[in-house]
Amino acid sequence: MKRLAILLSGRGSNFQAIAANCRSGALAAEIGLVISNRADAAGLEWARSQGLPAVCLPSKGLDRDLYDQQVATEIRKANIDLVCLAGYMRILSAAFVREFAGRILNIHPSLLPAFPGLDAQKQALDYGAKMTGCTVHFVDEGLDSGPVVLQKAVPVLDDDSVGTLSARILAEEHRLYSEAIRIVLDGRYRLEGRRVILSSAS
Ligand code: GRF
């Protein structure tokens, strides 16, 4: 069974969707480790309530390289195949990205490269975009800048607020992330430069 590490900082609804798919067998993987950099993350509490292996590594005030070394140590110990960032509000150090190259995914609530960074849904609304969505991508050292695995478009409606738009995108995120994880765990892709070329399902 392939083992996932989930890195999160907050609510953890993407994590919960992934965990539900692991539990149901829709995803042939198990949650091997949950790491939160914040003690008050709801996702951390939920992991514990489910009996999933979860650790809190507070990042406040710590040097990025030192902090990421701690995270890497936990991931090595837990024998992890794929690291999934799920609302993890930190940029990863170069050393971390190098060590787990091609084995770190992130989900972002826009169609990258549009609207990277914080408040992507508000950015799309404020810009007046008619279409936005979500992206699952490999993680590199930049901000939301790695090769795209999957994207799903979501229309912006005239009467959308940040709340209503975010909720519609989030529903798609919950589906898209597990689909991307499945592709990567199955090795059903190849990388050509920045392009993630998917192979058909066997
Ligand atoms: C999601 O919108 C995700 O795309 C972004 O952060 C949010 C995390 O939400 N990276 P949750 O913690 O998974 O509920």
Side-chain angles (χ1 to χ4, degrees), residues 8-15 85-89 106-110 121 134-135 169-170 173-174:
L8 54 78
S9 306
R11 182 176 56 182
S13 74
N14 275 288
F15 157 48
L85 312 188
Y88 186 60
M89 306 303 281
N106 181 43
I107 186 151
H108 182 77
S110 75
Q121 305 93 332
C134 48
T135 302
I169 296 173
L170 192 63
E173 291 185 39
H174 292 166

Side-chain angles (χ1 to χ4, degrees), residues 1-5 29-33 53 78-82 185:
M1 187 73 89
K2 295 285 172 81
R3 289 168 63 76
L4 306 177
E30 62 189 353
I31 306 289
L33 177 63
N79 238 318
I80 294 302
D81 297 288
L82 185 64
L185 287 181

Side-chain angles (χ1 to χ4, degrees), residues 24-98:
S24 74
L27 204 50
E30 62 189 353
I31 306 289
L33 177 63
V34 178
I35 298 179
S36 172
N37 68 314
R38 296 184 51 133
D40 60 355
L44 180 64
E45 197 175 314
W46 187 80
R48 288 180 171 146
S49 77
Q50 302 299 301
L52 294 169
V55 288
C56 178
L57 295 175
S59 57
K60 215 171 180 165
L62 276 189
D63 166 83
R64 182 177 311 284
D65 286 305
L66 269 179
Y67 180 75
D68 281 1
Q69 280 173 32
Q70 294 181 13
V71 176
T73 302
E74 294 294 331
I75 291 174
R76 271 183 235 121
K77 276 196 304 200
N79 238 318
I80 294 302
D81 297 288
L82 185 64
V83 177
C84 301
L85 312 188
Y88 186 60
M89 306 303 281
R90 291 178 58 82
I91 304 262
L92 298 173
S93 66
F96 187 95
V97 171
R98 222 177 296 123

Side-chain angles (χ1 to χ4, degrees), residues 160-182:
D160 259 334
S161 63
V162 174
T164 58
L165 178 60
S166 300
R168 280 204 323 286
I169 296 173
L170 192 63
E172 297 297 346
E173 291 185 39
H174 292 166
R175 284 186 277 272
L176 197 72
Y177 211 167
S178 288
E179 200 182 328
I181 290 170
R182 205 175 292 123

